[in-house]
Amino acid sequence: MAINDLATLVVGSGNYLTAPVGTTMPADLLTPLSPWQNVGHTSLEDIFGITSEGGEATTIGSLQNKSLRTKYSARTETMTFTLQQFDTAGLKLYFGSNAPILPDGSVGVPTNPEPTQSAFLAVFVDGDNHFAFYAPRAEVYRADDMAISDTESLAGLPIGVKPMVHGNNTWTYAITPLGGVLATGATAGTPGSFTPEGAVVPANLAALAGVIATPTTKWTTGQHVNLGDGSKAYWNTTVWAAGTAT
């Protein structure tokens, strides 16, 4: 893996948003448009976290090899942040989407609470950089007990966001990488170049998976692209290969 100074993150500000289940990630993460809605003020100290359950490793062996393979159980992850806005919408995120609004305007705490089902987006800003977590479907509900411990800081509602599989997806949530736009194409040369212009150079041969070669015929002698780990690669008509075309 190559060193990329632009891929480091110091959070300066951020926002947490929800939208109807299945809403796609906004094209502009810094100005998400409707139906994305900001959940409100959140903690400056307990910014964001991810906890997980499961993922235990089981070693499977044979008579000839006692540690032949390792199998992992399913892992469930929960994103957490602290909401500091005690309005009706915030209270329903914490106490349950089925929390009733009583005649006097107060929010009732349901005996059988139901999580809020929504798409979820967390965007963090670091100067000119921004970084996001996106789940097309998630369950939003309380993550921990609430405690108001002093008179000098904002009280908070610990919120948990549990990403769920949506439709035919094989993933539950996505993370936008820092450091620039990923390369989608590579043009032959000595050395060649990556597109779009300014794209991050793939780290190694494996990172070329999905990068489209131009031309798609076998590159000619001496043609190659330089990779992030200092190695070279070329297109051999069907796959990316290490080294320089011969």
Side-chain angles (χ1 to χ4, degrees), residues 6-245:
L6 297 178
T8 58
L9 176 68
V10 177
V11 173
S13 62
N15 284 295
Y16 306 89
L17 306 100
T18 59
V21 170
T23 302
T24 57
M25 185 187 297
D28 186 350
L29 292 171
L30 299 181
T31 55
L33 302 177
S34 179
W36 288 103
Q37 297 290 327
N38 201 310
V39 302
H41 291 287
T42 60
S43 174
L44 189 60
E45 297 179 353
D46 301 320
I47 295 176
F48 188 80
I50 297 179
T51 59
S52 63
E53 297 178 358
E56 293 83 3
T58 301
T59 301
I60 303 172
S62 67
L63 185 61
Q64 289 72 33
N65 186 340
K66 300 299 189 297
S67 55
L68 182 63
R69 294 178 57 184
T70 302
K71 181 178 180 181
Y72 295 88
S73 64
R75 181 182 296 275
T76 300
E77 296 185 317
T78 302
M79 304 175 188
T80 58
F81 63 95
T82 301
L83 181 62
Q84 294 179 322
Q85 199 159 296
F86 284 68
D87 53 11
T88 299
L91 292 173
K92 287 174 75 71
L93 284 180
Y94 183 79
F95 288 107
S97 63
N98 59 333
I101 308 302
L102 305 181
D104 62 359
S106 60
V107 177
V109 178
T111 54
N112 295 298
E114 297 176 2
T116 297
Q117 294 269 348
S118 72
F120 176 77
L121 179 68
V123 181
F124 303 109
V125 180
D126 175 13
D128 293 331
N129 263 342
H130 54 275
F131 181 74
F133 292 85
Y134 161 72
R137 175 176 170 240
E139 291 185 348
V140 185
Y141 185 56
R142 71 167 75 186
D144 204 347
D145 295 338
M146 181 185 70
I148 301 176
S149 57
D150 60 66
T151 60
E152 298 179 350
S153 55
L154 293 172
L157 298 166
I159 300 294
V161 180
K162 192 180 298 295
M164 312 291 285
V165 172
H166 178 63
N168 296 324
N169 292 345
T170 57
W171 50 277
T172 55
Y173 66 96
I175 308 166
T176 60
L178 286 172
V181 178
L182 295 179
T184 57
T187 303
T190 55
S193 59
F194 292 99
T195 56
E197 185 177 353
V200 175
V201 173
N204 48 39
L205 184 64
L208 282 171
V211 174
I212 299 173
T214 301
T216 55
T217 54
K218 184 179 184 296
W219 288 7
T220 60
T221 300
Q223 291 185 326
H224 66 278
V225 287
N226 293 323
L227 302 178
D229 61 0
S231 64
K232 299 178 180 180
Y234 70 97
W235 182 251
N236 74 352
T237 304
T238 55
V239 296
W240 290 102
T244 300

